[in-house]
Short mmCIF file of all heavy atoms in Angstrom, two decimals:
data_model
loop_
_atom_site.label_atom_id
_atom_site.label_comp_id
_atom_site.label_asym_id
_atom_site.label_seq_id
_atom_site.Cartn_x
_atom_site.Cartn_y
_atom_site.Cartn_z
N GLN B 25 -113.51 86.10 -113.89
CA GLN B 25 -112.41 86.79 -113.20
C GLN B 25 -111.45 87.42 -114.21
O GLN B 25 -111.25 86.78 -115.27
CB GLN B 25 -111.72 85.92 -112.19
CG GLN B 25 -111.21 84.56 -112.73
CD GLN B 25 -109.85 84.51 -113.24
OE1 GLN B 25 -109.06 85.51 -113.09
NE2 GLN B 25 -109.45 83.43 -113.78
N ASN B 26 -110.90 88.58 -113.86
CA ASN B 26 -110.02 89.25 -114.79
C ASN B 26 -108.57 89.27 -114.29
O ASN B 26 -107.78 90.20 -114.71
CB ASN B 26 -110.52 90.65 -115.08
CG ASN B 26 -110.57 91.53 -113.82
OD1 ASN B 26 -110.20 91.09 -112.75
ND2 ASN B 26 -111.04 92.74 -113.99
N MET B 27 -108.20 88.33 -113.42
CA MET B 27 -106.86 88.33 -112.86
C MET B 27 -105.99 87.27 -113.39
O MET B 27 -104.86 86.98 -112.91
CB MET B 27 -106.96 88.22 -111.36
CG MET B 27 -107.68 89.39 -110.70
SD MET B 27 -108.22 89.12 -109.01
CE MET B 27 -109.75 88.26 -109.23
N ASN B 28 -106.40 86.59 -114.43
CA ASN B 28 -105.63 85.50 -115.07
C ASN B 28 -105.31 84.35 -114.10
O ASN B 28 -104.29 83.72 -114.16
CB ASN B 28 -104.39 86.00 -115.72
CG ASN B 28 -103.80 85.08 -116.76
OD1 ASN B 28 -104.60 84.44 -117.54
ND2 ASN B 28 -102.50 84.99 -116.83
N HIS B 29 -106.24 84.19 -113.13
CA HIS B 29 -106.06 83.12 -112.18
C HIS B 29 -106.33 81.72 -112.71
O HIS B 29 -107.27 81.55 -113.45
CB HIS B 29 -106.97 83.35 -110.95
CG HIS B 29 -106.56 84.49 -110.06
ND1 HIS B 29 -107.43 85.10 -109.21
CD2 HIS B 29 -105.34 85.03 -109.89
CE1 HIS B 29 -106.72 86.01 -108.50
NE2 HIS B 29 -105.47 86.00 -108.90
N GLU B 30 -105.52 80.79 -112.31
CA GLU B 30 -105.68 79.39 -112.75
C GLU B 30 -106.76 78.73 -111.93
O GLU B 30 -107.55 77.92 -112.41
CB GLU B 30 -104.37 78.58 -112.58
CG GLU B 30 -103.22 79.10 -113.33
CD GLU B 30 -102.33 80.06 -112.53
OE1 GLU B 30 -102.78 80.43 -111.38
OE2 GLU B 30 -101.33 80.58 -113.06
N TYR B 31 -106.85 79.03 -110.65
CA TYR B 31 -107.70 78.32 -109.72
C TYR B 31 -109.00 79.06 -109.57
O TYR B 31 -109.02 80.25 -109.32
CB TYR B 31 -107.02 78.19 -108.35
CG TYR B 31 -107.77 77.43 -107.29
CD1 TYR B 31 -107.59 76.08 -107.14
CD2 TYR B 31 -108.75 78.05 -106.46
CE1 TYR B 31 -108.32 75.33 -106.15
CE2 TYR B 31 -109.42 77.33 -105.49
CZ TYR B 31 -109.18 76.00 -105.36
OH TYR B 31 -109.87 75.31 -104.40
N MET B 32 -110.15 78.37 -109.72
CA MET B 32 -111.45 78.91 -109.44
C MET B 32 -112.28 77.91 -108.71
O MET B 32 -112.06 76.67 -108.80
CB MET B 32 -112.13 79.28 -110.81
CG MET B 32 -111.42 80.36 -111.55
SD MET B 32 -112.30 81.00 -113.03
CE MET B 32 -113.59 82.00 -112.23
N SER B 33 -113.28 78.45 -107.97
CA SER B 33 -114.01 77.58 -107.05
C SER B 33 -115.39 78.12 -106.77
O SER B 33 -115.58 79.35 -106.87
CB SER B 33 -113.25 77.44 -105.71
OG SER B 33 -113.91 76.57 -104.82
N TRP B 34 -116.33 77.22 -106.49
CA TRP B 34 -117.62 77.66 -106.07
C TRP B 34 -117.95 77.12 -104.63
O TRP B 34 -117.55 75.98 -104.28
CB TRP B 34 -118.70 77.01 -106.99
CG TRP B 34 -118.97 77.76 -108.24
CD1 TRP B 34 -118.51 77.52 -109.48
CD2 TRP B 34 -119.75 78.96 -108.30
NE1 TRP B 34 -118.95 78.49 -110.38
CE2 TRP B 34 -119.71 79.39 -109.68
CE3 TRP B 34 -120.47 79.78 -107.42
CZ2 TRP B 34 -120.38 80.54 -110.14
CZ3 TRP B 34 -121.09 80.93 -107.84
CH2 TRP B 34 -121.05 81.28 -109.22
N TYR B 35 -118.56 78.02 -103.83
CA TYR B 35 -118.91 77.71 -102.50
C TYR B 35 -120.41 78.03 -102.31
O TYR B 35 -120.95 78.90 -102.98
CB TYR B 35 -118.13 78.57 -101.51
CG TYR B 35 -116.64 78.33 -101.48
CD1 TYR B 35 -115.79 79.04 -102.32
CD2 TYR B 35 -116.08 77.40 -100.62
CE1 TYR B 35 -114.46 78.87 -102.33
CE2 TYR B 35 -114.64 77.24 -100.56
CZ TYR B 35 -113.90 77.98 -101.42
OH TYR B 35 -112.55 77.74 -101.42
N ARG B 36 -121.00 77.35 -101.33
CA ARG B 36 -122.31 77.74 -100.87
C ARG B 36 -122.20 78.10 -99.43
O ARG B 36 -121.35 77.51 -98.68
CB ARG B 36 -123.35 76.71 -101.12
CG ARG B 36 -123.18 75.39 -100.52
CD ARG B 36 -124.34 74.43 -100.77
NE ARG B 36 -125.57 74.83 -100.07
CZ ARG B 36 -126.78 74.29 -100.24
NH1 ARG B 36 -126.94 73.30 -101.10
NH2 ARG B 36 -127.85 74.72 -99.59
N GLN B 37 -122.93 79.10 -99.00
CA GLN B 37 -122.90 79.52 -97.59
C GLN B 37 -124.27 79.48 -97.02
O GLN B 37 -125.21 80.08 -97.54
CB GLN B 37 -122.37 80.99 -97.52
CG GLN B 37 -122.15 81.52 -96.11
CD GLN B 37 -121.45 82.84 -96.07
OE1 GLN B 37 -121.77 83.69 -96.83
NE2 GLN B 37 -120.58 82.98 -95.11
N ASP B 38 -124.40 78.72 -95.95
CA ASP B 38 -125.63 78.44 -95.27
C ASP B 38 -125.49 78.80 -93.83
O ASP B 38 -124.43 78.48 -93.21
CB ASP B 38 -126.10 77.03 -95.45
CG ASP B 38 -126.25 76.65 -96.91
OD1 ASP B 38 -127.22 77.15 -97.54
OD2 ASP B 38 -125.46 75.86 -97.44
N PRO B 39 -126.54 79.34 -93.17
CA PRO B 39 -126.44 79.67 -91.72
C PRO B 39 -126.07 78.44 -90.91
O PRO B 39 -126.66 77.41 -91.03
CB PRO B 39 -127.90 80.11 -91.41
CG PRO B 39 -128.46 80.59 -92.71
CD PRO B 39 -127.80 79.68 -93.74
N GLY B 40 -125.08 78.69 -90.06
CA GLY B 40 -124.63 77.60 -89.11
C GLY B 40 -123.71 76.53 -89.75
O GLY B 40 -123.11 75.74 -89.06
N LEU B 41 -123.59 76.64 -91.13
CA LEU B 41 -122.70 75.67 -91.82
C LEU B 41 -121.49 76.27 -92.41
O LEU B 41 -120.60 75.58 -92.91
CB LEU B 41 -123.54 74.89 -92.85
CG LEU B 41 -124.69 74.08 -92.37
CD1 LEU B 41 -125.46 73.50 -93.51
CD2 LEU B 41 -124.25 72.99 -91.39
N GLY B 42 -121.47 77.60 -92.43
CA GLY B 42 -120.28 78.24 -93.02
C GLY B 42 -120.21 78.09 -94.52
O GLY B 42 -121.16 77.87 -95.20
N LEU B 43 -118.95 78.22 -95.02
CA LEU B 43 -118.68 78.08 -96.45
C LEU B 43 -118.30 76.65 -96.78
O LEU B 43 -117.40 76.13 -96.19
CB LEU B 43 -117.54 78.99 -96.88
CG LEU B 43 -117.83 80.42 -97.04
CD1 LEU B 43 -116.50 81.24 -96.96
CD2 LEU B 43 -118.48 80.67 -98.39
#
Side-chain angles (χ1 to χ4, degrees):
Chain B
Q25 51 92 6
N26 62 0
M27 294 168 278
N28 201 35
H29 285 160
E30 300 90 357
Y31 184 92
M32 296 187 75
S33 180
W34 276 102
Y35 297 87
R36 60 177 290 173
Q37 186 174 39
D38 302 288
L41 297 176
L43 281 161

